[in-house]
Amino acid sequence: MTYHVEILLIVSPPSDGVSSLCFSPKANHLIATSWDNQVRCWEVTKNGTSVSSVAKASIAHDQPVLCSAWKDDGSTVFSGGCDKQVKMWPLGGNQPQTVAMHDMAVSQVAWIPEMNMLVSGSWDKTLRYWDLRQQTPVHTQQLPDRCYSLTVRHPLMVVATADRNLVAYNLQNPQAEFKRIQSPLKYQTRCVAAFPDQQGFLVGSIEGRVGVHHFDDQQQSKNFTFKCHREGNDIYAVNSLNFHPVHGTFATAGSDGAFNFWDKDSKQRLKAMSRCNQPITCASFNNDGSMYAYGACYDWSKGAENHNPATAKTSIYVHLPQEAEVKPKPRVAGRK
């Protein structure tokens, strides 16, 4: 019997597609950025198996917003997008201010508490590091191509760019590339997620496949790729990879409208969830892994001709993962 803990639909969702979701590291405050130029914040409350949400605040960019990140103390939100800037928004109510600029759209942003710095990645093929006390970047790192995805687990940062490049940095020496590899997947990269132990990363692509990659040459035998988000001959993009903050298992979410929980160490799927009727574009666990938020909306993977404004509603859901869905299981004997 499949048992779903009640899934909440977040109140007052964006009016266009959701581009990023992230929970505060300190509280159940959820940020969503959207193609409708807005950044929104909700407070999500869990009471037993039921969940409720309250819209708290929002700010606007001049153009679609693509990415978001929290400061580690949960006080401040960063958002970047097609207006080529990163805004810093103290949730206490102060006006947002521009703290970073690029020459093209800002696609990725992350706060690195160990460096007390912000890092932003852009379609202008650069990474820029920002000390918020000054207006120019502390360091600009050239990338091999446009920045598509970025993941930080200090001291490891992995950046995925166009043309299937994956560049790893040791943030103790951020001005030098630690390692550059071609993606183990044959098609365009959509998302990356660094292992919690910083020994490697996951990469997801448009071909319904995930690669599990270790840096250490001694661990190369543990590298593998697996298929997911496929149905018959239909192949869907993997849009989101998120590690569970407690158990070290991970979730994939895709254009098929499904999300699944996996254990890379025992190479098995822990739980397959039933599909929703729209692609899932992004997702986020809260700080203790008791909530998993995901955004469902048209993702344009089937082009403009399949976009129907009448049915293309944007929704944000919160699922309460049960321990059995996300806790590692012993490896099944005989499985390769």
mmCIF file of all heavy atoms in Angstrom, residues 168-216:
data_model
loop_
_atom_site.group_PDB
_atom_site.id
_atom_site.type_symbol
_atom_site.label_atom_id
_atom_site.label_comp_id
_atom_site.label_asym_id
_atom_site.label_seq_id
_atom_site.Cartn_x
_atom_site.Cartn_y
_atom_site.Cartn_z
ATOM 1 N N ALA A 168 35.328 21.452 -11.105
ATOM 2 C CA ALA A 168 35.338 21.410 -9.639
ATOM 3 C C ALA A 168 36.395 22.381 -9.131
ATOM 4 O O ALA A 168 37.471 22.538 -9.734
ATOM 5 C CB ALA A 168 35.645 19.997 -9.154
ATOM 6 N N TYR A 169 36.054 23.049 -8.021
ATOM 7 C CA TYR A 169 36.987 23.986 -7.379
ATOM 8 C C TYR A 169 37.172 23.585 -5.926
ATOM 9 O O TYR A 169 36.219 23.160 -5.266
ATOM 10 C CB TYR A 169 36.434 25.419 -7.420
ATOM 11 C CG TYR A 169 36.283 25.954 -8.817
ATOM 12 C CD1 TYR A 169 35.082 25.792 -9.508
ATOM 13 C CD2 TYR A 169 37.335 26.612 -9.454
ATOM 14 C CE1 TYR A 169 34.933 26.265 -10.805
ATOM 15 C CE2 TYR A 169 37.192 27.085 -10.747
ATOM 16 C CZ TYR A 169 35.996 26.920 -11.417
ATOM 17 O OH TYR A 169 35.852 27.371 -12.707
ATOM 18 N N ASN A 170 38.407 23.754 -5.438
ATOM 19 C CA ASN A 170 38.669 23.696 -4.003
ATOM 20 C C ASN A 170 38.615 25.140 -3.516
ATOM 21 O O ASN A 170 39.460 25.964 -3.881
ATOM 22 C CB ASN A 170 40.049 23.081 -3.755
ATOM 23 C CG ASN A 170 40.404 23.070 -2.275
ATOM 24 O OD1 ASN A 170 39.727 23.696 -1.455
ATOM 25 N ND2 ASN A 170 41.461 22.366 -1.935
ATOM 26 N N LEU A 171 37.610 25.466 -2.713
ATOM 27 C CA LEU A 171 37.384 26.861 -2.327
ATOM 28 C C LEU A 171 38.467 27.402 -1.392
ATOM 29 O O LEU A 171 38.473 28.588 -1.088
ATOM 30 C CB LEU A 171 35.995 27.018 -1.707
ATOM 31 C CG LEU A 171 34.865 26.836 -2.731
ATOM 32 C CD1 LEU A 171 33.509 26.793 -2.048
ATOM 33 C CD2 LEU A 171 34.905 27.926 -3.790
ATOM 34 N N GLN A 172 39.380 26.523 -0.950
ATOM 35 C CA GLN A 172 40.534 27.041 -0.210
ATOM 36 C C GLN A 172 41.551 27.660 -1.187
ATOM 37 O O GLN A 172 42.442 28.390 -0.784
ATOM 38 C CB GLN A 172 41.175 25.924 0.622
ATOM 39 C CG GLN A 172 40.299 25.619 1.832
ATOM 40 C CD GLN A 172 40.404 24.175 2.307
ATOM 41 O OE1 GLN A 172 40.869 23.293 1.599
ATOM 42 N NE2 GLN A 172 39.959 23.930 3.519
ATOM 43 N N ASN A 173 41.356 27.360 -2.476
ATOM 44 C CA ASN A 173 42.186 27.975 -3.527
ATOM 45 C C ASN A 173 41.299 28.209 -4.748
ATOM 46 O O ASN A 173 41.447 27.560 -5.787
ATOM 47 C CB ASN A 173 43.369 27.053 -3.868
ATOM 48 C CG ASN A 173 44.243 27.647 -4.943
ATOM 49 O OD1 ASN A 173 44.249 28.851 -5.169
ATOM 50 N ND2 ASN A 173 44.974 26.800 -5.649
ATOM 51 N N PRO A 174 40.332 29.126 -4.633
ATOM 52 C CA PRO A 174 39.277 29.219 -5.652
ATOM 53 C C PRO A 174 39.736 29.752 -7.003
ATOM 54 O O PRO A 174 39.001 29.664 -7.977
ATOM 55 C CB PRO A 174 38.259 30.172 -5.016
ATOM 56 C CG PRO A 174 39.036 30.971 -4.023
ATOM 57 C CD PRO A 174 40.126 30.078 -3.530
ATOM 58 N N GLN A 175 40.964 30.276 -7.072
ATOM 59 C CA GLN A 175 41.396 30.862 -8.340
ATOM 60 C C GLN A 175 41.984 29.827 -9.297
ATOM 61 O O GLN A 175 42.366 30.163 -10.411
ATOM 62 C CB GLN A 175 42.405 31.986 -8.073
ATOM 63 C CG GLN A 175 41.798 33.025 -7.131
ATOM 64 C CD GLN A 175 42.580 34.323 -7.108
ATOM 65 O OE1 GLN A 175 43.404 34.572 -7.977
ATOM 66 N NE2 GLN A 175 42.308 35.157 -6.127
ATOM 67 N N ALA A 176 42.046 28.576 -8.847
ATOM 68 C CA ALA A 176 42.558 27.510 -9.715
ATOM 69 C C ALA A 176 41.505 26.415 -9.817
ATOM 70 O O ALA A 176 40.851 26.091 -8.836
ATOM 71 C CB ALA A 176 43.843 26.932 -9.133
ATOM 72 N N GLU A 177 41.344 25.872 -11.021
ATOM 73 C CA GLU A 177 40.433 24.733 -11.176
ATOM 74 C C GLU A 177 41.051 23.523 -10.473
ATOM 75 O O GLU A 177 42.226 23.235 -10.639
ATOM 76 C CB GLU A 177 40.219 24.396 -12.654
ATOM 77 C CG GLU A 177 39.404 25.437 -13.394
ATOM 78 C CD GLU A 177 39.139 25.038 -14.857
ATOM 79 O OE1 GLU A 177 39.410 23.875 -15.229
ATOM 80 O OE2 GLU A 177 38.668 25.903 -15.606
ATOM 81 N N PHE A 178 40.254 22.823 -9.710
ATOM 82 C CA PHE A 178 40.714 21.591 -9.054
ATOM 83 C C PHE A 178 40.679 20.446 -10.065
ATOM 84 O O PHE A 178 41.609 19.663 -10.184
ATOM 85 C CB PHE A 178 39.834 21.308 -7.835
ATOM 86 C CG PHE A 178 40.005 19.954 -7.230
ATOM 87 C CD1 PHE A 178 41.200 19.580 -6.640
ATOM 88 C CD2 PHE A 178 38.957 19.037 -7.242
ATOM 89 C CE1 PHE A 178 41.361 18.316 -6.084
ATOM 90 C CE2 PHE A 178 39.101 17.773 -6.687
ATOM 91 C CZ PHE A 178 40.309 17.419 -6.108
ATOM 92 N N LYS A 179 39.592 20.377 -10.825
ATOM 93 C CA LYS A 179 39.447 19.304 -11.812
ATOM 94 C C LYS A 179 38.395 19.721 -12.834
ATOM 95 O O LYS A 179 37.375 20.301 -12.472
ATOM 96 C CB LYS A 179 38.984 18.026 -11.105
ATOM 97 C CG LYS A 179 39.433 16.746 -11.768
ATOM 98 C CD LYS A 179 39.323 15.558 -10.810
ATOM 99 C CE LYS A 179 40.385 14.526 -11.105
ATOM 100 N NZ LYS A 179 40.337 13.405 -10.182
ATOM 101 N N ARG A 180 38.650 19.419 -14.091
ATOM 102 C CA ARG A 180 37.629 19.660 -15.117
ATOM 103 C C ARG A 180 37.393 18.355 -15.860
ATOM 104 O O ARG A 180 38.342 17.725 -16.317
ATOM 105 C CB ARG A 180 38.088 20.737 -16.106
ATOM 106 C CG ARG A 180 36.963 21.095 -17.102
ATOM 107 C CD ARG A 180 37.452 21.941 -18.263
ATOM 108 N NE ARG A 180 37.877 23.277 -17.865
ATOM 109 C CZ ARG A 180 38.001 24.296 -18.719
ATOM 110 N NH1 ARG A 180 37.722 24.110 -20.021
ATOM 111 N NH2 ARG A 180 38.426 25.479 -18.311
ATOM 112 N N ILE A 181 36.132 17.946 -15.963
ATOM 113 C CA ILE A 181 35.821 16.714 -16.695
ATOM 114 C C ILE A 181 34.646 16.961 -17.638
ATOM 115 O O ILE A 181 33.907 17.937 -17.489
ATOM 116 C CB ILE A 181 35.476 15.532 -15.749
ATOM 117 C CG1 ILE A 181 34.179 15.815 -14.974
ATOM 118 C CG2 ILE A 181 36.622 15.225 -14.803
ATOM 119 C CD1 ILE A 181 33.580 14.560 -14.355
ATOM 120 N N GLN A 182 34.518 16.095 -18.615
ATOM 121 C CA GLN A 182 33.316 16.073 -19.441
ATOM 122 C C GLN A 182 32.274 15.261 -18.685
ATOM 123 O O GLN A 182 32.602 14.250 -18.051
ATOM 124 C CB GLN A 182 33.613 15.412 -20.778
ATOM 125 C CG GLN A 182 34.224 16.354 -21.770
ATOM 126 C CD GLN A 182 33.178 16.934 -22.716
ATOM 127 O OE1 GLN A 182 32.724 16.283 -23.620
ATOM 128 N NE2 GLN A 182 32.787 18.162 -22.485
ATOM 129 N N SER A 183 31.043 15.680 -18.762
ATOM 130 C CA SER A 183 29.977 14.948 -18.081
ATOM 131 C C SER A 183 29.977 13.485 -18.511
ATOM 132 O O SER A 183 30.168 13.180 -19.694
ATOM 133 C CB SER A 183 28.625 15.573 -18.406
ATOM 134 O OG SER A 183 27.579 14.734 -17.947
ATOM 135 N N PRO A 184 29.753 12.554 -17.569
ATOM 136 C CA PRO A 184 29.615 11.141 -17.943
ATOM 137 C C PRO A 184 28.320 10.878 -18.718
ATOM 138 O O PRO A 184 28.120 9.780 -19.238
ATOM 139 C CB PRO A 184 29.603 10.416 -16.599
ATOM 140 C CG PRO A 184 29.147 11.438 -15.598
ATOM 141 C CD PRO A 184 29.632 12.762 -16.110
ATOM 142 N N LEU A 185 27.451 11.881 -18.792
ATOM 143 C CA LEU A 185 26.191 11.751 -19.533
ATOM 144 C C LEU A 185 26.361 12.381 -20.914
ATOM 145 O O LEU A 185 27.093 13.351 -21.079
ATOM 146 C CB LEU A 185 25.057 12.441 -18.770
ATOM 147 C CG LEU A 185 24.937 12.035 -17.289
ATOM 148 C CD1 LEU A 185 23.813 12.795 -16.617
ATOM 149 C CD2 LEU A 185 24.713 10.532 -17.165
ATOM 150 N N LYS A 186 25.643 11.837 -21.899
ATOM 151 C CA LYS A 186 25.892 12.243 -23.286
ATOM 152 C C LYS A 186 25.185 13.537 -23.684
ATOM 153 O O LYS A 186 25.494 14.113 -24.726
ATOM 154 C CB LYS A 186 25.435 11.129 -24.237
ATOM 155 C CG LYS A 186 26.240 9.848 -24.126
ATOM 156 C CD LYS A 186 25.850 8.884 -25.231
ATOM 157 C CE LYS A 186 26.667 7.610 -25.187
ATOM 158 N NZ LYS A 186 26.283 6.749 -24.055
ATOM 159 N N TYR A 187 24.213 13.977 -22.874
ATOM 160 C CA TYR A 187 23.404 15.122 -23.281
ATOM 161 C C TYR A 187 23.484 16.260 -22.261
ATOM 162 O O TYR A 187 24.116 16.135 -21.221
ATOM 163 C CB TYR A 187 21.951 14.683 -23.500
ATOM 164 C CG TYR A 187 21.806 13.725 -24.655
ATOM 165 C CD1 TYR A 187 21.861 12.350 -24.447
ATOM 166 C CD2 TYR A 187 21.663 14.191 -25.960
ATOM 167 C CE1 TYR A 187 21.760 11.461 -25.514
ATOM 168 C CE2 TYR A 187 21.562 13.308 -27.027
ATOM 169 C CZ TYR A 187 21.603 11.946 -26.807
ATOM 170 O OH TYR A 187 21.505 11.077 -27.856
ATOM 171 N N GLN A 188 22.827 17.357 -22.611
ATOM 172 C CA GLN A 188 22.935 18.604 -21.840
ATOM 173 C C GLN A 188 22.668 18.430 -20.342
ATOM 174 O O GLN A 188 21.706 17.790 -19.934
ATOM 175 C CB GLN A 188 21.937 19.612 -22.417
ATOM 176 C CG GLN A 188 22.024 20.990 -21.808
ATOM 177 C CD GLN A 188 20.792 21.820 -22.183
ATOM 178 O OE1 GLN A 188 19.718 21.662 -21.606
ATOM 179 N NE2 GLN A 188 20.946 22.684 -23.157
ATOM 180 N N THR A 189 23.539 19.035 -19.533
ATOM 181 C CA THR A 189 23.408 18.985 -18.074
ATOM 182 C C THR A 189 22.298 19.924 -17.609
ATOM 183 O O THR A 189 22.198 21.057 -18.074
ATOM 184 C CB THR A 189 24.730 19.418 -17.410
ATOM 185 O OG1 THR A 189 25.794 18.610 -17.920
ATOM 186 C CG2 THR A 189 24.658 19.282 -15.901
ATOM 187 N N ARG A 190 21.486 19.430 -16.669
ATOM 188 C CA ARG A 190 20.461 20.286 -16.056
ATOM 189 C C ARG A 190 20.774 20.645 -14.613
ATOM 190 O O ARG A 190 20.395 21.706 -14.134
ATOM 191 C CB ARG A 190 19.091 19.578 -16.080
ATOM 192 C CG ARG A 190 18.473 19.413 -17.449
ATOM 193 C CD ARG A 190 18.426 20.713 -18.234
ATOM 194 N NE ARG A 190 17.524 21.705 -17.674
ATOM 195 C CZ ARG A 190 16.254 21.867 -18.023
ATOM 196 N NH1 ARG A 190 15.716 21.078 -18.908
ATOM 197 N NH2 ARG A 190 15.536 22.817 -17.480
ATOM 198 N N CYS A 191 21.432 19.745 -13.870
ATOM 199 C CA CYS A 191 21.604 19.983 -12.440
ATOM 200 C C CYS A 191 22.793 19.193 -11.908
ATOM 201 O O CYS A 191 23.151 18.158 -12.457
ATOM 202 C CB CYS A 191 20.327 19.605 -11.675
ATOM 203 S SG CYS A 191 19.616 18.015 -12.163
ATOM 204 N N VAL A 192 23.406 19.723 -10.839
ATOM 205 C CA VAL A 192 24.483 19.021 -10.135
ATOM 206 C C VAL A 192 24.237 19.140 -8.637
ATOM 207 O O VAL A 192 23.613 20.093 -8.175
ATOM 208 C CB VAL A 192 25.891 19.591 -10.455
ATOM 209 C CG1 VAL A 192 26.377 19.146 -11.811
ATOM 210 C CG2 VAL A 192 25.940 21.097 -10.310
ATOM 211 N N ALA A 193 24.746 18.160 -7.873
ATOM 212 C CA ALA A 193 24.643 18.206 -6.409
ATOM 213 C C ALA A 193 25.879 17.529 -5.824
ATOM 214 O O ALA A 193 26.161 16.369 -6.129
ATOM 215 C CB ALA A 193 23.376 17.505 -5.926
ATOM 216 N N ALA A 194 26.630 18.276 -5.009
ATOM 217 C CA ALA A 194 27.833 17.727 -4.374
ATOM 218 C C ALA A 194 27.441 16.731 -3.289
ATOM 219 O O ALA A 194 26.461 16.939 -2.569
ATOM 220 C CB ALA A 194 28.659 18.856 -3.771
ATOM 221 N N PHE A 195 28.212 15.644 -3.187
ATOM 222 C CA PHE A 195 27.980 14.689 -2.102
ATOM 223 C C PHE A 195 28.131 15.404 -0.756
ATOM 224 O O PHE A 195 29.009 16.264 -0.608
ATOM 225 C CB PHE A 195 29.011 13.552 -2.119
ATOM 226 C CG PHE A 195 28.980 12.630 -3.303
ATOM 227 C CD1 PHE A 195 29.977 11.675 -3.448
ATOM 228 C CD2 PHE A 195 27.980 12.691 -4.257
ATOM 229 C CE1 PHE A 195 29.987 10.798 -4.534
ATOM 230 C CE2 PHE A 195 27.977 11.828 -5.343
ATOM 231 C CZ PHE A 195 28.980 10.885 -5.481
ATOM 232 N N PRO A 196 27.364 15.005 0.254
ATOM 233 C CA PRO A 196 27.536 15.594 1.591
ATOM 234 C C PRO A 196 28.958 15.429 2.138
ATOM 235 O O PRO A 196 29.428 16.289 2.879
ATOM 236 C CB PRO A 196 26.516 14.827 2.443
ATOM 237 C CG PRO A 196 25.457 14.394 1.472
ATOM 238 C CD PRO A 196 26.187 14.107 0.196
ATOM 239 N N ASP A 197 29.669 14.348 1.729
ATOM 240 C CA ASP A 197 31.045 14.151 2.230
ATOM 241 C C ASP A 197 32.098 14.789 1.323
ATOM 242 O O ASP A 197 33.298 14.584 1.517
ATOM 243 C CB ASP A 197 31.340 12.659 2.422
ATOM 244 C CG ASP A 197 31.306 11.873 1.100
ATOM 245 O OD1 ASP A 197 31.147 12.494 0.020
ATOM 246 O OD2 ASP A 197 31.449 10.632 1.142
ATOM 247 N N GLN A 198 31.648 15.553 0.315
ATOM 248 C CA GLN A 198 32.522 16.289 -0.618
ATOM 249 C C GLN A 198 33.427 15.404 -1.475
ATOM 250 O O GLN A 198 34.388 15.889 -2.074
ATOM 251 C CB GLN A 198 33.418 17.315 0.130
ATOM 252 C CG GLN A 198 32.668 18.357 0.913
ATOM 253 C CD GLN A 198 32.793 18.119 2.409
ATOM 254 O OE1 GLN A 198 33.837 17.720 2.896
ATOM 255 N NE2 GLN A 198 31.732 18.356 3.135
ATOM 256 N N GLN A 199 33.134 14.119 -1.548
ATOM 257 C CA GLN A 199 34.011 13.200 -2.293
ATOM 258 C C GLN A 199 33.634 13.078 -3.772
ATOM 259 O O GLN A 199 34.313 12.387 -4.529
ATOM 260 C CB GLN A 199 33.990 11.806 -1.649
ATOM 261 C CG GLN A 199 34.485 11.777 -0.215
ATOM 262 C CD GLN A 199 35.885 12.349 -0.080
ATOM 263 O OE1 GLN A 199 36.833 11.864 -0.684
ATOM 264 N NE2 GLN A 199 36.020 13.420 0.698
ATOM 265 N N GLY A 200 32.553 13.747 -4.161
ATOM 266 C CA GLY A 200 32.111 13.642 -5.549
ATOM 267 C C GLY A 200 30.812 14.384 -5.727
ATOM 268 O O GLY A 200 30.445 15.237 -4.903
ATOM 269 N N PHE A 201 30.082 14.057 -6.811
ATOM 270 C CA PHE A 201 28.854 14.794 -7.091
ATOM 271 C C PHE A 201 27.917 13.948 -7.949
ATOM 272 O O PHE A 201 28.328 12.960 -8.575
ATOM 273 C CB PHE A 201 29.165 16.117 -7.804
ATOM 274 C CG PHE A 201 29.900 15.946 -9.113
ATOM 275 C CD1 PHE A 201 29.203 15.767 -10.304
ATOM 276 C CD2 PHE A 201 31.287 15.954 -9.151
ATOM 277 C CE1 PHE A 201 29.873 15.593 -11.507
ATOM 278 C CE2 PHE A 201 31.979 15.772 -10.348
ATOM 279 C CZ PHE A 201 31.260 15.594 -11.526
ATOM 280 N N LEU A 202 26.670 14.366 -7.980
ATOM 281 C CA LEU A 202 25.664 13.829 -8.888
ATOM 282 C C LEU A 202 25.483 14.820 -10.029
ATOM 283 O O LEU A 202 25.587 16.030 -9.825
ATOM 284 C CB LEU A 202 24.304 13.688 -8.194
ATOM 285 C CG LEU A 202 24.219 12.882 -6.906
ATOM 286 C CD1 LEU A 202 22.822 13.049 -6.306
ATOM 287 C CD2 LEU A 202 24.507 11.409 -7.165
ATOM 288 N N VAL A 203 25.188 14.320 -11.211
ATOM 289 C CA VAL A 203 24.862 15.197 -12.337
ATOM 290 C C VAL A 203 23.633 14.616 -13.035
ATOM 291 O O VAL A 203 23.523 13.403 -13.225
ATOM 292 C CB VAL A 203 26.074 15.349 -13.305
ATOM 293 C CG1 VAL A 203 26.615 13.996 -13.756
ATOM 294 C CG2 VAL A 203 25.713 16.208 -14.507
ATOM 295 N N GLY A 204 22.695 15.488 -13.385
ATOM 296 C CA GLY A 204 21.473 15.067 -14.081
ATOM 297 C C GLY A 204 21.370 15.768 -15.421
ATOM 298 O O GLY A 204 21.825 16.911 -15.580
ATOM 299 N N SER A 205 20.755 15.092 -16.397
ATOM 300 C CA SER A 205 20.715 15.656 -17.753
ATOM 301 C C SER A 205 19.313 15.577 -18.349
ATOM 302 O O SER A 205 18.394 15.020 -17.760
ATOM 303 C CB SER A 205 21.699 14.911 -18.655
ATOM 304 O OG SER A 205 21.169 13.637 -18.976
ATOM 305 N N ILE A 206 19.201 16.121 -19.561
ATOM 306 C CA ILE A 206 17.911 16.132 -20.254
ATOM 307 C C ILE A 206 17.502 14.744 -20.736
ATOM 308 O O ILE A 206 16.376 14.557 -21.199
ATOM 309 C CB ILE A 206 17.926 17.097 -21.466
ATOM 310 C CG1 ILE A 206 19.013 16.690 -22.476
ATOM 311 C CG2 ILE A 206 18.130 18.538 -21.016
ATOM 312 C CD1 ILE A 206 18.915 17.403 -23.806
ATOM 313 N N GLU A 207 18.412 13.747 -20.616
ATOM 314 C CA GLU A 207 18.101 12.428 -21.193
ATOM 315 C C GLU A 207 17.524 11.455 -20.161
ATOM 316 O O GLU A 207 17.565 10.237 -20.358
ATOM 317 C CB GLU A 207 19.361 11.825 -21.828
ATOM 318 C CG GLU A 207 20.303 11.265 -20.791
ATOM 319 C CD GLU A 207 21.744 11.122 -21.231
ATOM 320 O OE1 GLU A 207 22.510 12.071 -21.066
ATOM 321 O OE2 GLU A 207 22.087 10.040 -21.717
ATOM 322 N N GLY A 208 17.020 11.950 -19.018
ATOM 323 C CA GLY A 208 16.472 11.047 -18.012
ATOM 324 C C GLY A 208 17.515 10.116 -17.450
ATOM 325 O O GLY A 208 17.324 8.902 -17.347
ATOM 326 N N ARG A 209 18.652 10.687 -17.060
ATOM 327 C CA ARG A 209 19.756 9.889 -16.544
ATOM 328 C C ARG A 209 20.525 10.707 -15.506
ATOM 329 O O ARG A 209 20.620 11.925 -15.628
ATOM 330 C CB ARG A 209 20.681 9.481 -17.696
ATOM 331 C CG ARG A 209 21.587 8.297 -17.405
ATOM 332 C CD ARG A 209 22.518 8.056 -18.582
ATOM 333 N NE ARG A 209 21.917 7.273 -19.651
ATOM 334 C CZ ARG A 209 21.975 5.954 -19.738
ATOM 335 N NH1 ARG A 209 22.587 5.247 -18.809
ATOM 336 N NH2 ARG A 209 21.433 5.331 -20.754
ATOM 337 N N VAL A 210 21.067 10.005 -14.505
ATOM 338 C CA VAL A 210 21.885 10.641 -13.468
ATOM 339 C C VAL A 210 23.236 9.944 -13.427
ATOM 340 O O VAL A 210 23.310 8.711 -13.521
ATOM 341 C CB VAL A 210 21.197 10.556 -12.083
ATOM 342 C CG1 VAL A 210 22.151 10.971 -10.962
ATOM 343 C CG2 VAL A 210 19.930 11.415 -12.053
ATOM 344 N N GLY A 211 24.303 10.739 -13.310
ATOM 345 C CA GLY A 211 25.642 10.195 -13.130
ATOM 346 C C GLY A 211 26.097 10.374 -11.691
ATOM 347 O O GLY A 211 25.864 11.432 -11.097
ATOM 348 N N VAL A 212 26.721 9.344 -11.136
ATOM 349 C CA VAL A 212 27.292 9.390 -9.788
ATOM 350 C C VAL A 212 28.801 9.356 -9.973
ATOM 351 O O VAL A 212 29.351 8.376 -10.489
ATOM 352 C CB VAL A 212 26.812 8.184 -8.949
ATOM 353 C CG1 VAL A 212 27.435 8.217 -7.558
ATOM 354 C CG2 VAL A 212 25.283 8.157 -8.863
ATOM 355 N N HIS A 213 29.487 10.453 -9.589
ATOM 356 C CA HIS A 213 30.910 10.580 -9.909
ATOM 357 C C HIS A 213 31.738 10.882 -8.667
ATOM 358 O O HIS A 213 31.424 11.801 -7.910
ATOM 359 C CB HIS A 213 31.121 11.699 -10.938
ATOM 360 C CG HIS A 213 32.532 11.766 -11.445
ATOM 361 N ND1 HIS A 213 32.982 11.006 -12.497
ATOM 362 C CD2 HIS A 213 33.596 12.477 -11.005
ATOM 363 C CE1 HIS A 213 34.272 11.252 -12.691
ATOM 364 N NE2 HIS A 213 34.673 12.144 -11.801
ATOM 365 N N HIS A 214 32.804 10.096 -8.458
ATOM 366 C CA HIS A 214 33.757 10.318 -7.356
ATOM 367 C C HIS A 214 35.040 10.927 -7.924
ATOM 368 O O HIS A 214 35.452 10.597 -9.036
ATOM 369 C CB HIS A 214 34.105 8.987 -6.661
ATOM 370 C CG HIS A 214 32.932 8.313 -6.015
ATOM 371 N ND1 HIS A 214 31.964 7.652 -6.749
ATOM 372 C CD2 HIS A 214 32.563 8.206 -4.708
ATOM 373 C CE1 HIS A 214 31.051 7.154 -5.921
ATOM 374 N NE2 HIS A 214 31.393 7.483 -4.678
ATOM 375 N N PHE A 215 35.685 11.784 -7.139
ATOM 376 C CA PHE A 215 36.937 12.410 -7.598
ATOM 377 C C PHE A 215 38.144 11.489 -7.457
ATOM 378 O O PHE A 215 39.024 11.472 -8.299
ATOM 379 C CB PHE A 215 37.211 13.693 -6.796
ATOM 380 C CG PHE A 215 36.269 14.806 -7.123
ATOM 381 C CD1 PHE A 215 35.437 15.340 -6.156
ATOM 382 C CD2 PHE A 215 36.204 15.328 -8.410
ATOM 383 C CE1 PHE A 215 34.561 16.354 -6.462
ATOM 384 C CE2 PHE A 215 35.328 16.346 -8.722
ATOM 385 C CZ PHE A 215 34.507 16.862 -7.746
ATOM 386 N N ASP A 216 38.183 10.751 -6.372
ATOM 387 C CA ASP A 216 39.365 9.948 -6.043
ATOM 388 C C ASP A 216 39.535 8.811 -7.053
ATOM 389 O O ASP A 216 38.608 8.057 -7.323
ATOM 390 C CB ASP A 216 39.186 9.380 -4.630
ATOM 391 C CG ASP A 216 40.430 8.653 -4.143
ATOM 392 O OD1 ASP A 216 41.367 8.471 -4.938
ATOM 393 O OD2 ASP A 216 40.458 8.262 -2.958
#
